Amino acid sequence: MTKSIIIIGAGISGMAAGCYGQMNGYQTQIFEMDIKPCGLCTAWERKGYLIDGCLHWLMGTKPNTPFYKNWQELVTDKDIDAVVIGTWPYMHCPITVAALKAGKHVMCEARMACNAKEAHRMFEAARIRPQLVAQVVPSPFTLRVDKTVQRLLA
């Protein structure tokens, strides 16, 4: 069975995660949500043209490829092994918790959460599932306080 990763958020980090996943033998799909919850694509009109920045389409969607209505469907797909969360920070907590509950490995881009309550919720969801990898990509802006954060979460 081919291992697969979904990446929610198609910023530079999301695109890089998709490329590295494929280079290491994973099937990857990248979904861009823009700023609207449950959105899959970014598109806008300019001077009479429709600019379609749908990353799923750009990454090579084929006929009969599953199309998901929202991120909740993505994280519950039994064919998905891991989720890379690279979307807006206000979505990090709900997606992380849902993905862990669905038995997925999770890599969440910095910033981890919008507040301490969300961070603790994410931490607890990961702690009760020790068989899953749950990783936060550190932000270079937090290097001076990382030891304090680690001490507070311990």
Side-chain angles (χ1 to χ4, degrees):
M1 171 158 82
T2 304
K3 294 205 177 239
S4 62
I5 301 172
I6 57 170
I7 298 146
I8 301 172
I12 292 172
S13 297
M15 295 294 289
C19 292
Y20 281 111
Q22 287 187 11
M23 290 177 357
N24 287 285
Y26 288 83
Q27 176 185 358
T28 63
Q29 292 183 65
I30 301 173
F31 295 89
E32 171 58 48
M33 292 182 12
D34 196 18
I35 60 172
K36 297 177 185 172
C38 302
L40 294 178
C41 299
T42 300
W44 62 94
E45 288 188 37
R46 184 169 180 171
K47 297 182 181 179
Y49 292 95
L50 177 66
I51 312 298
D52 187 352
C54 179
L55 271 286
H56 192 196
W57 174 76
L58 289 176
M59 293 306 292
T61 299
K62 302 179 282 194
N64 300 319
T65 299
F67 187 79
Y68 304 93
K69 292 179 185 174
N70 53 47
W71 64 264
Q72 290 94 337
E73 286 186 14
L74 279 166
V75 299
T76 58
D77 186 329
K78 294 187 182 348
D79 293 329
I80 302 298
D81 300 304
V83 178
V84 176
I85 302 168
T87 189
W88 294 97
Y90 76 94
M91 293 300 297
H92 288 186
C93 181
I95 296 172
T96 295
V97 171
L100 287 167
K101 282 183 181 178
K104 312 299 185 214
H105 301 286
V106 174
M107 186 182 91
C108 184
E109 289 187 13
R111 116 185 135 222
M112 177 180 170
C114 291
N115 54 51
K117 184 178 178 181
E118 285 185 358
H120 282 284
R121 194 169 154 226
M122 294 165 75
F123 180 68
E124 186 58 30
R127 188 166 46 172
I128 63 176
R129 293 167 184 86
Q131 75 280 12
L132 298 174
V133 174
Q135 176 182 351
V136 176
V137 177
S139 166
F141 305 112
T142 66
L143 294 175
R144 68 183 193 284
V145 296
D146 284 347
K147 288 187 184 205
T148 302
V149 171
Q150 290 172 354
R151 182 178 49 78
L152 291 171
L153 288 175

